[in-house]
Amino acid sequence: MLDSRPSSHDDLVDHLVRSTALQRGEAARVILDVLAYFDETTEEFVRRRHRELQSGGLVNTEIFERIAAELPHRAVAPPELSLRQLRRIVYT
């Protein structure tokens, strides 16, 4: 159950309720999910994407190239990482 105290996102929740078919609780959960997504560190993103792509049947060569291509498009792009640096994140 959601906390009944006002949050700093009440205006955004209200906006989503007015502009979509979402109920208040659903809108709040969407906001929390989006915030968690953008709070993910580069290392967490690399590890998560590696697991996702590996489970999709890709091999490491393809996986690391794809991750390297995706990183610059993150909301806050990290510095460019080499394929070797990406491997180190996954395997350390």
Side-chain angles (χ1 to χ4, degrees), residues 36-52 63-64 67-68 70-71 74 76-82 84-92:
Y37 175 83
F38 285 114
D39 200 31
E40 186 176 48
T41 67
T42 299
E43 290 79 7
E44 291 166 338
F45 171 79
V46 169
R47 289 182 187 112
R48 177 179 59 80
R49 285 299 289 150
H50 182 269
R51 283 190 308 272
E52 292 170 354
I63 290 171
F64 291 118
I67 293 171
E70 291 176 357
L71 280 171
R74 301 273 300 157
V76 178
E80 186 173 338
L81 299 173
S82 70
R84 182 171 190 237
Q85 289 171 308
L86 293 173
R87 285 185 193 93
R88 283 185 154 198
I89 289 172
V90 170
Y91 295 116
T92 56

Side-chain angles (χ1 to χ4, degrees), residues 1-68:
M1 181 169 216
L2 292 174
D3 196 333
S4 61
R5 291 177 296 174
S7 77
S8 60
H9 308 294
D10 281 343
D11 287 343
L12 183 54
V13 171
D14 293 340
H15 171 73
L16 286 175
V17 169
R18 283 191 310 271
S19 63
T20 68
L22 295 174
Q23 299 296 314
R24 189 163 187 78
E26 295 168 323
R29 282 190 296 279
V30 167
I31 292 166
L32 292 175
D33 284 347
V34 169
L35 291 173
Y37 175 83
F38 285 114
D39 200 31
E40 186 176 48
T41 67
T42 299
E43 290 79 7
E44 291 166 338
F45 171 79
V46 169
R47 289 182 187 112
R48 177 179 59 80
R49 285 299 289 150
H50 182 269
R51 283 190 308 272
E52 292 170 354
L53 295 169
Q54 194 172 48
S55 70
L58 294 178
V59 296
N60 278 341
T61 304
E62 297 168 316
I63 290 171
F64 291 118
E65 287 178 7
R66 175 140 350 147
I67 293 171

